[in-house]
Amino acid sequence: MATDFKSIPIIDVAPLLAKCDDPKMVQDPGVREVVKQLDQACREAGFFYAKGHGIPETMVKEVRNITHKFFDLPYEEKLKIKMTPAAGYRGYQRIGENITKGVPDMHEAIDCYKELKQGMYGALGKPMEGCNQWPHYPPNFKELMEEYISLCTEVSRKIMRGIALALGGSPDEFEGERGGDAFWVMRLIGYPGASTANGKCTSENDIGCGAHTDYGLLTLVNQDENITALQVRNQAGEWISAPPIPGMFVCNIGDMLKILSNGLYESTLHRVINKSPTYRVCVAFFYEPNYDAAVEPLEVCVRKSGGTRKFEKAVYGEHLVSKVQTNFVT
């Protein structure tokens, strides 16, 4: 369960990433220290900063820069890749078209998902079938994003091996039928600067993204430097800022990991309010279970949390589709 944390811990995940495919990783002192820190962060906050993730800082910045360039384009250009249900909910959405708990969010975005071929998962996969819509401008957009997605997928897989150990399981708990063919989601999000009409900042009324939890296993957040907008709610109901730290991702756990951990780890509420007058970009990568995975509490977690299963089985694809179909105005 989340606590009354006042700040978000920083974890150097490099020792885990270096050894995570070594059969003897559990015996490595560096790995064990990272696992201990992951366990504490996931229990107390559900959020942590990942330092030493190994993705080059030049690429992390370029992903944000090229996203800025896209959002700088005229609307008519951006609408060439407009998101629709027919496109498998992939593509561009205008400001206010994303809905959180019934309230329009003050951001624009490009939504991307792991591509599903027709008939791949039958009726379960049908709403999400399609190819990602990539803009033709800026040039190299698709190539850069696909390389970035590949790197984020690998980093996430390795961190999840550490989280599996933190829960008392084997390193591959989140592979095989649960996550061996992990689904992913990526949202490229642009938040307009705060309005200063009448000399007053009205940012409290312009919620960039309303309070929500993430759907899957693990999220990697790559956010613009020098603008603090992401806020995480602790158990006391206070909103704790998660400022950008150069070279690090903000990471948080999602609903599927909450179920798998039988509530030992919480998917923490968070929101975005851009109080800066400057336009802000955030690229969020969501690492998920297999699309058709039946997610239920791990036996080791049931034992560690008193012996009672606190959650029913959930099929990840059903959870995703139920969220996607109520989150957008199209």
Side-chain angles (χ1 to χ4, degrees):
M1 280 297 292
T3 61
D4 294 347
F5 60 91
K6 301 295 183 188
S7 62
I8 292 164
I10 295 172
I11 303 176
D12 185 348
V13 296
L16 169 66
L17 270 51
K19 296 278 184 179
C20 86
D21 288 318
D22 183 334
K24 297 180 180 175
M25 67 178 284
V26 185
Q27 297 160 26
D28 185 88
V31 169
R32 279 156 62 175
E33 179 57 31
V34 175
V35 166
K36 180 179 149 194
Q37 291 178 30
L38 284 170
D39 183 51
Q40 186 175 357
C42 291
R43 282 177 187 272
E44 294 182 359
F47 269 76
F48 58 91
Y49 289 94
K51 178 184 174 185
H53 51 73
I55 299 179
E57 181 63 8
T58 49
M59 170 172 272
V60 171
K61 283 184 176 174
E62 181 54 24
V63 163
R64 293 196 308 266
N65 290 343
I66 204 168
T67 302
H68 269 286
K69 287 177 185 172
F70 173 80
F71 288 133
D72 283 344
L73 295 173
Y75 261 134
E76 47 275 22
E77 190 63 32
K78 292 185 275 194
L79 288 170
K80 287 180 179 175
I81 59 163
K82 179 174 170 54
M83 187 196 79
T84 63
Y89 295 93
R90 294 163 164 78
Y92 172 74
Q93 54 180 197
R94 296 173 71 149
I95 292 168
E97 286 184 336
N98 194 79
I99 305 290
T100 302
K101 294 177 182 166
V103 180
D105 291 318
M106 291 301 103
H107 70 246
E108 55 186 332
I110 302 177
D111 283 12
C112 322
Y113 299 88
K114 186 172 185 175
E115 295 184 352
L116 297 187
K117 292 190 176 72
Q118 199 170 355
M120 201 169 177
Y121 296 109
L124 178 66
K126 192 161 184 56
M128 304 303 299
E129 287 175 359
C131 299
N132 288 313
Q133 297 197 73
W134 300 110
H136 294 298
Y137 181 87
N140 302 321
F141 195 100
K142 176 178 186 280
E143 292 77 9
L144 177 68
M145 292 304 171
E146 288 184 339
E147 185 182 355
Y148 182 71
I149 287 163
S150 175
L151 292 172
C152 285
T153 301
E154 192 60 9
V155 167
S156 301
R157 181 187 73 82
K158 291 176 176 178
I159 292 175
M160 287 306 302
R161 286 177 76 82
I163 289 175
L165 291 174
L167 285 167
S170 66
D172 59 359
E173 292 288 353
F174 304 120
E175 292 165 23
E177 288 185 359
R178 292 191 186 104
D181 184 25
F183 194 72
W184 56 261
V185 180
M186 189 168 74
R187 300 199 75 223
L188 313 169
I189 314 168
Y191 299 92
S195 165
T196 51
N198 305 320
K200 291 183 180 176
C201 176
T202 58
S203 62
E204 288 296 336
N205 302 322
D206 293 339
I207 305 287
C209 188
H212 65 284
T213 57
D214 292 345
Y215 312 155
L217 296 174
L218 182 71
T219 307
L220 308 183
V221 178
N222 171 7
Q223 51 180 342
D224 267 345
E225 294 171 12
N226 305 318
I227 301 174
T228 299
L230 177 60
Q231 301 175 348
V232 184
R233 200 172 83 170
N234 68 15
Q235 199 174 37
E238 301 166 312
W239 289 102
I240 307 301
S241 288
I245 303 178
M248 300 188 203
F249 291 126
V250 179
C251 299
N252 62 283
I253 59 181
D255 299 337
M256 295 297 110
L257 188 52
K258 177 181 177 176
I259 294 172
L260 286 156
S261 72
N262 205 36
L264 289 169
Y265 295 168
E266 187 74 42
S267 47
T268 312
L269 277 171
H270 51 287
R271 68 182 185 184
V272 177
I273 301 178
N274 185 11
K275 296 180 181 178
S276 163
T278 307
Y279 190 97
R280 172 186 181 265
V281 152
C282 164
V283 177
F285 175 83
F286 304 90
Y287 185 79
E288 318 286 87
N290 294 353
Y291 189 82
D292 59 350
V295 176
E296 58 187 326
L298 300 175
E299 285 301 330
V300 65
C301 297
V302 173
R303 290 196 300 273
K304 285 173 81 170
S305 55
T308 305
R309 287 174 174 266
K310 297 177 184 173
F311 302 98
E312 297 291 321
K313 186 184 291 186
V315 176
Y316 168 71
E318 287 177 3
H319 185 65
L320 175 69
V321 168
S322 73
K323 295 285 190 179
V324 165
Q325 291 184 333
T326 55
N327 273 12
F328 304 125
V329 175
T330 54

